[in-house]
């Protein structure tokens, strides 16, 4: 990444319209939600039947209507990764963004213990519940009590992390 790009990310303030950002975020959220619904990734049983890899060999997944392993999540992941790779390739050919005045890119590039530990905890929670944060919001409509339990637990975990991080810094 060039030094001018890094300085643009840090020093410039975005001068584009807040209404534009709201509309863009709304449209992207609708697209993401529609993708989750169409792919059935908002259905925890679909996710759990993908994670139940033993069903590949036994054909007895208790999460799938057909009692077999559900490979659909692979296509969702490959699609997401492909779009991300394409988006970064396009971004790398551009000198400045089209719809805003600054690039908003992750600044943290190193793998560290909190990232690895957080990913492990996320994976365990996803495997046990079949929800990740986005689809968990749909559970508030589709399965309200399960959604409340999951989101409440997720928020408690987030606040606990913040409290522990704050205590470690002092």
């Amino acid at each position: 990444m060039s030094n001018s790009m890094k300085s643009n990310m840090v020093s410039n303030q975005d001068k584009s319209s807040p209404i534009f950002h709201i509309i863009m975020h709304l449209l992207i959220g609708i697209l993401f939600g529609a993708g989750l619904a169409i792919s059935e990734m908002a259905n925890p049983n679909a996710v759990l039947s993908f994670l139940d890899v033993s069903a590949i060999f036994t054909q007895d997944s208790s999460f799938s209507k057909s009692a077999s392993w559900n490979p659909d999540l692979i296509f969702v992941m490959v699609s997401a990764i492909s779009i991300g790779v394409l988006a970064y390739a396009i971004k790398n050919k551009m000198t400045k963004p089209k719809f805003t005045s600054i690039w908003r890119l992750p600044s943290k590039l190193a793998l560290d213990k909190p990232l690895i530990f957080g990913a492990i905890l996320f994976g365990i929670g996803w495997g046990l519940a079949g929800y990740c944060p986005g689809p968990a919001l749909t559970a508030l409509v589709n399965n309200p009590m399960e959604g409340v339990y999951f989101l409440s637990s997720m928020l408690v975990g987030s606040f606990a992390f913040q409290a522990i991080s704050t205590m470690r810094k002092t």
Side-chain angles (χ1 to χ4, degrees):
M1 185 180 326
S2 71
N3 286 336
S4 64
M5 242 183 182
K6 286 180 185 175
S7 65
N8 280 345
M9 289 188 322
V10 176
S11 63
N12 289 353
Q13 292 298 317
D14 188 1
K15 296 172 182 72
S16 58
S17 164
I19 298 297
F20 175 78
H21 284 280
I22 291 169
I23 292 169
M24 288 302 292
H25 286 108
L26 180 64
L27 292 174
I28 292 166
I30 290 169
L31 179 65
F32 181 73
L36 287 173
I38 291 167
S39 67
E40 291 214 18
M41 292 303 112
N43 175 358
N45 284 334
V47 173
L48 292 171
S49 68
F50 167 75
L51 296 174
D52 187 5
V53 292
S54 67
I56 295 171
F57 308 105
T58 62
Q59 299 296 311
D60 68 349
S61 177
S62 57
F63 305 108
S64 172
K65 293 176 193 167
S66 64
S68 61
W69 181 65
N70 179 2
D72 294 352
L73 188 55
I74 290 173
F75 299 108
V76 174
M77 289 180 182
V78 168
S79 298
I81 291 168
S82 300
I83 297 296
V85 167
L86 179 64
Y88 269 96
I90 291 169
K91 179 226 146 283
N92 287 336
K93 292 182 189 252
M94 298 171 61
T95 56
K96 65 180 193 162
K98 288 203 181 286
F99 300 113
T100 188
S101 58
I102 61 171
W103 295 108
R104 289 186 178 82
L105 300 171
S107 58
K108 185 176 179 180
L109 301 175
L111 295 176
D112 58 7
K113 286 180 187 177
L115 176 65
I116 293 168
F117 185 64
I120 291 168
L121 285 177
F122 177 88
I124 291 169
W126 191 40
L128 290 173
Y131 287 117
C132 61
L137 292 174
T138 66
L140 292 173
V141 175
N142 300 337
N143 193 350
M145 285 314 297
E146 195 172 287
V148 168
Y149 294 148
F150 180 85
L151 288 169
S152 299
S153 301
M154 185 178 74
L155 289 173
V156 167
S158 296
F159 287 124
F161 169 78
Q162 288 298 331
I164 291 168
S165 293
T166 303
M167 286 189 309
R168 284 188 177 168
K169 289 178 185 175
T170 57

